[in-house]
């Protein structure tokens, strides 16, 4: 099976069936998918890509659903990539986030897809980045990347999104430890969800203190703290306004271009690593010969690796 030209044309026309088929090809790495992505790449770069991350149980999916509803009320289209843990049996996404957003089913202005992490330690796989390109090229206005929420290691989101929201919630364990976590340091906007709960003001105060103590540069974005109750929609419009202000600030100060270069560099590096790893696996004659040489102590691992990389 290969990626047919009409699928690319359908994606560019914004047709949901073509987008869905293209994303399936992206996850399966179907023959010809790289050429199709190359054809889509010049048409991407217009969407506002939001990264929404935070610990499990913070209400990210409910918040994303409320954001999508807000954008649709504004007449804007929205795409959601819900990054789910991979099934240990099939390797596919477990689909939990897509189930929780089922109230958007049938809306032609919304496209929702669960994407598997496929064991990516930082929470994202290469397929996630390619999926953003597909939705962006399809003309979707806002692409929301909701990450799996595995904790501090999940900072790969900064390599994919333009604006990053870190969602916290009152009463979820040791707040001081949460504030120390590297995950919170990537935030462009802090969100205290479920802020109708007891302890919300304390969580806001601790986040504000963390921001006050952080090292700031001249002209740096002033990270806001937004309180929301996603289940009722309270605060969601203000949160969307904060995202829009951040996008405007990035465009005005040049940060948007800097982040685009950073994201491009990450994608190039990830693809290069994947291409190299394809040449470094058991069963390939040169790799097996290198293993034999190291096992027999005729070579050492570093020298063998360098020779394989030179040949690759």
């Amino acid at each position: 099976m290969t990626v047919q030209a009409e699928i690319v044309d359908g994606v560019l026309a914004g047709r949901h069936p073509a987008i869905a088929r293209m994303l399936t090809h992206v996850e399966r790495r179907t023959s010809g998918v790289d050429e199709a992505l190359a054809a889509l790449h010049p048409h991407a770069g217009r969407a506002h890509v939001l990264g929404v991350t935070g610990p499990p149980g913070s209400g990210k999916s409910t918040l994303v659903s409320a954001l999508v509803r807000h954008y649709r009320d504004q007449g804007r289209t929205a795409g959601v990539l819900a990054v789910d843990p991979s099934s240990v049996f099939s390797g596919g996404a477990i689909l939990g986030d897509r189930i929780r957003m089922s109230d958007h089913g049938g809306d032609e202005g919304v496209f929702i897809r669960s994407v598997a992490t496929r064991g990516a330690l930082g929470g994202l796989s290469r397929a996630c980045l390619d999926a953003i390109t597909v939705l962006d090229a399809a003309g979707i206005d806002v692409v929301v990347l909701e990450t799996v929420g595995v904790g501090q290691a999940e900072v790969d989101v900064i390599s994919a999104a333009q604006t990053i929201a870190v969602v916290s919630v009152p009463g979820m364990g040791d707040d001081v430890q949460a504030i120390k976590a590297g995950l919170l340091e990537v935030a462009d906007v802090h969100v205290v969800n479920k802020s109708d709960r007891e302890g919300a003001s304390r969580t806001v105060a601790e986040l504000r203190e963390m921001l006050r103590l952080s090292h700031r540069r001249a002209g740096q974005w002033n990270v806001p703290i937004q309180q929301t109750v996603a289940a009722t929609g309270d605060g969601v419009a203000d949160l969307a306004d904060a995202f829009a202000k951040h996008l405007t600030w990035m465009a005005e100060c040049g940060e948007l271009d800097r982040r685009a270069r950073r994201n491009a560099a990450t994608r190039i590096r990830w693809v290069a690593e994947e291409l190299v790893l394809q040449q470094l696996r058991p069963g390939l004659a040169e790799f097996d010969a290198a293993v034999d040489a190291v096992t027999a102590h005729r070579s050492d691992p570093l020298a063998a690796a360098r020779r394989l990389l030179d040949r690759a």
Side-chain angles (χ1 to χ4, degrees), residues 21-312:
R21 290 172 66 190
M22 184 64 201
L23 292 180
T24 298
H25 289 309
V26 163
E27 287 208 275
R28 294 178 179 174
R29 307 313 304 179
T30 304
S31 173
V33 70
D34 292 324
E35 291 76 10
L37 287 167
L40 292 174
H41 184 76
H43 301 276
R46 294 169 294 181
H48 187 187
V49 183
L50 306 175
V52 178
T53 189
S58 56
K60 296 186 299 296
S61 296
T62 305
L63 181 62
V64 169
S65 183
L67 276 169
V68 168
R69 191 176 301 110
H70 172 78
Y71 288 128
R72 293 300 294 137
D73 289 343
Q74 291 185 323
R76 306 179 73 189
T77 55
V80 179
L81 295 171
V83 183
D84 277 337
S86 300
S87 166
V88 296
F89 298 105
S90 67
I94 296 175
L95 307 180
D97 293 307
R98 189 162 65 179
I99 291 169
R100 287 191 290 274
M101 297 180 198
S102 59
D103 55 338
H104 297 292
D107 187 343
E108 285 298 313
V110 179
F111 188 94
I112 300 173
R113 178 79 170 219
S114 290
V115 183
T117 58
R118 301 195 182 279
L121 295 179
L124 296 184
S125 64
R126 177 186 169 191
C128 298
L129 303 184
D130 290 339
I132 292 172
T133 297
V134 174
L135 296 184
D136 194 350
I140 290 175
D141 297 320
V142 181
V143 176
V144 184
L145 180 65
E146 184 206 333
T147 59
V148 72
V150 294
Q152 187 168 339
E154 196 188 9
V155 294
D156 275 355
V157 67
I158 68 173
S159 300
Q162 296 164 323
T163 299
I164 301 161
V166 174
V167 183
S168 305
V169 66
M172 286 194 67
D174 190 340
D175 293 333
V176 175
Q177 283 301 112
I179 288 172
K180 291 179 180 178
L183 180 61
L184 294 183
E185 297 172 5
V186 307
D188 298 306
V189 179
H190 280 293
V191 184
V192 179
N193 193 30
K194 304 181 183 180
S195 60
D196 53 343
R197 286 186 177 181
E198 183 180 354
S201 58
R202 176 190 172 194
T203 302
V204 171
E206 290 181 335
L207 287 171
R208 188 171 289 121
E209 181 66 10
M210 180 201 72
L211 294 172
R212 188 185 69 81
L213 295 174
S214 64
H215 299 290
R216 293 182 55 81
R217 302 182 302 275
Q220 184 174 340
W221 167 251
N222 186 24
V223 178
I225 302 170
Q226 301 292 142
Q227 291 183 251
T228 61
V229 183
T232 63
D234 289 350
V236 172
D238 291 337
L239 177 59
D241 287 344
F243 292 154
K245 289 176 182 177
H246 182 249
L247 182 63
T248 300
W249 173 82
M250 287 192 295
E252 291 175 347
C253 72
E255 179 66 16
L256 196 60
D257 289 337
R258 285 191 288 272
R259 293 198 180 196
R261 289 186 59 82
R262 178 193 66 194
N263 294 358
T266 298
R267 296 192 66 173
I268 292 170
R269 187 176 70 250
W270 284 13
V271 173
E273 289 173 356
E274 186 173 295
L275 292 175
V276 170
L277 288 174
Q278 288 175 0
Q279 305 298 318
L280 301 177
R281 65 179 190 273
L284 296 177
E286 290 183 350
F287 184 83
D288 289 345
V291 171
D292 292 340
V294 172
T295 303
H297 299 282
R298 297 191 304 271
S299 180
D300 64 271
L302 178 60
R306 283 176 171 167
R307 281 195 298 271
L308 287 170
L309 288 175
D310 288 342
R311 291 170 185 171

